[in-house]
Amino acid sequence: MTKVFLYCDESGAKGYANQDETYPGEVGVFAGIMIPEECITTVKSTFDQLAARHMPVSGKLHIAELSPEQQGRIRDELFAEIKRTKFPCFWYAIHVSGLHAHHSTQTAFLKQSAEELRLARGGNDPRIKQGSSREEPASMHVELFSGLYSHLVAFLVERGQEGVDIEIRTDQVDMPIMKRFEKVAGNPLNNDPRVSTTSGFDTVEKKVVRGSVTSSVQWPPELEFSPVVKSLSIGTVPHSDGLVLAVDVLANSLNYLFKNRALDTLYTPLNCRDAVANHPLAEHLDAYMTWGSGDLIGDGIYQHPKAST
């Protein structure tokens, strides 16, 4: 594969980490379908024709706003076509309460560290004054996208792909969120040194001072890898795009699956084969040859506080 398209969309929660769940086990989910470049023209034409049969006269066709009967009919048609094409599907889900608990823990830790540093100085103000740190809770939407994109890259790595051009197509997204998508998409498998800069006011010299820290990673030879992603572009597409409708339906169906879990599985991991075993597209969502020991971010750092350990 030299170029692939990833159509993706989200469903469920997409707020910020300072917000807790509104019902037990609430999740956010991002889902996508990967299509090789050589197949995109034919596949897109088929899905566009399918979507046109259900598109309203005006406005957007959104699966969550239709009657159960309409939803079922469109879902069956789209899923049948996905099964026919046999393209891999991906998803990434996070518990709202897990993201919130991690944010709360980090916020408390930073406050405690700042107080301990102040006491260590004898209660005196530091020579270099910096503005108070502004709380920037993580965005569920961005964290979900990051996880989904990482899963796509993992799929390409597992199959020994190198120098792949990736074009991500999604529904309409606000520009600030789009820029954050682009930023997090550049992180996986990036070995370039990273520079963090900061500034403050020197109360003795009465001037602004700046500093920076550069960090880099040196991998042992056995862990070195060749660049997987050659180029990346992210763009939005019209509501009438049939593949956008397909991933909208896929994301919505996954959110419905997670929302209706039994009590004994309500807080269990979301990013593994068992979590989607009862989904109609389970065979296509089971995209990896080896799943490994589990997801360390969504099901690890962001695991639900009530999850059994």
Side-chain angles (χ1 to χ4, degrees):
M1 292 179 285
T2 58
K3 181 174 182 178
V4 298
F5 292 82
L6 179 70
Y7 277 79
C8 55
D9 200 6
E10 51 76 32
S11 184
K14 59 176 181 179
Y16 290 86
N18 58 353
Q19 303 166 335
D20 205 350
E21 61 186 19
T22 58
Y23 59 84
E26 182 183 14
V27 307
V29 59
F30 225 123
I33 301 174
M34 190 206 81
I35 304 168
E37 181 183 32
E38 59 268 23
C39 304
I40 189 66
T41 301
T42 302
V43 171
K44 187 178 183 309
S45 176
T46 300
F47 278 89
D48 283 348
Q49 292 175 30
L50 193 158
R53 296 201 296 268
H54 300 281
M55 196 64 61
V57 177
S58 62
K60 175 186 176 182
L61 173 61
H62 198 292
I63 189 70
E65 299 173 355
L66 301 177
S67 68
E69 292 77 14
Q70 290 175 306
Q71 289 184 21
R73 185 163 57 252
I74 295 176
R75 186 165 50 244
D76 290 345
E77 291 183 23
L78 288 170
F79 285 1
E81 190 59 33
I82 292 173
K83 290 178 180 178
R84 188 190 68 80
T85 59
K86 299 182 180 180
F87 293 126
C89 299
F90 302 91
W91 87 98
Y92 201 78
I94 296 174
H95 283 107
V96 174
S97 194
L99 186 65
H100 176 68
H102 178 72
H103 169 75
S104 299
T105 299
Q106 293 295 100
T107 301
F109 173 77
L110 292 175
K111 288 181 178 179
Q112 180 182 348
S113 298
E115 177 62 15
E116 290 176 351
L117 182 60
R118 188 187 70 82
L119 293 175
R121 294 192 181 108
N124 298 321
D125 291 332
R127 173 177 170 172
I128 306 298
K129 285 190 173 182
Q130 294 177 279
S132 57
S133 58
R134 185 162 54 95
E135 182 184 15
E136 294 186 1
S139 161
M140 171 69 84
H141 205 173
V142 175
E143 293 297 313
L144 290 171
F145 172 82
S146 177
L148 182 72
Y149 178 72
S150 296
H151 275 201
L152 171 64
V153 172
F155 176 87
L156 296 173
V157 169
E158 188 180 46
R159 282 154 179 77
Q161 300 297 313
E162 297 179 5
V164 180
D165 295 314
I166 297 178
E167 184 170 332
I168 296 177
R169 294 180 175 179
T170 185
D171 200 354
Q172 302 301 308
V173 177
D174 293 338
M175 185 54 65
I177 294 293
M178 180 67 75
K179 290 185 178 297
R180 295 179 71 178
F181 281 2
E182 293 172 348
K183 182 178 179 180
V184 299
N187 290 335
L189 307 183
N190 184 356
N191 279 336
D192 295 338
R194 299 185 183 184
V195 180
S196 299
T197 61
T198 187
S199 63
F201 183 75
D202 188 329
T203 58
V204 175
E205 298 291 335
K206 305 300 182 182
K207 64 179 182 180
V208 175
V209 292
R210 294 178 174 82
S212 65
V213 175
T214 301
S215 60
S216 61
V217 177
Q218 297 292 330
W219 296 101
E222 64 272 16
L223 293 181
E224 289 182 353
F225 50 82
S226 300
V228 177
V229 181
K230 179 182 178 183
S231 68
L232 170 70
S233 62
I234 306 175
T236 58
V237 291
H239 302 317
S240 58
D241 192 300
L243 284 165
V244 165
L245 175 62
V247 291
D248 173 30
V249 173
L250 175 58
N252 183 269
S253 66
L254 284 163
N255 184 52
Y256 179 85
L257 178 70
F258 296 142
K259 191 174 182 178
N260 290 275
R261 289 172 290 172
L263 289 177
D264 61 337
T265 60
L266 192 58
Y267 308 118
T268 54
L270 298 164
N271 302 297
C272 58
R273 284 182 294 185
D274 290 345
V276 297
N278 294 325
H279 192 276
L281 296 177
E283 182 179 348
H284 298 266
L285 292 163
D286 184 7
Y288 301 104
M289 294 179 282
T290 303
W291 281 81
S293 57
D295 176 63
L296 300 178
I297 307 298
D299 294 332
I301 294 175
Y302 299 147
Q303 70 172 346
H304 198 285
K306 295 184 179 179
S308 58
T309 56

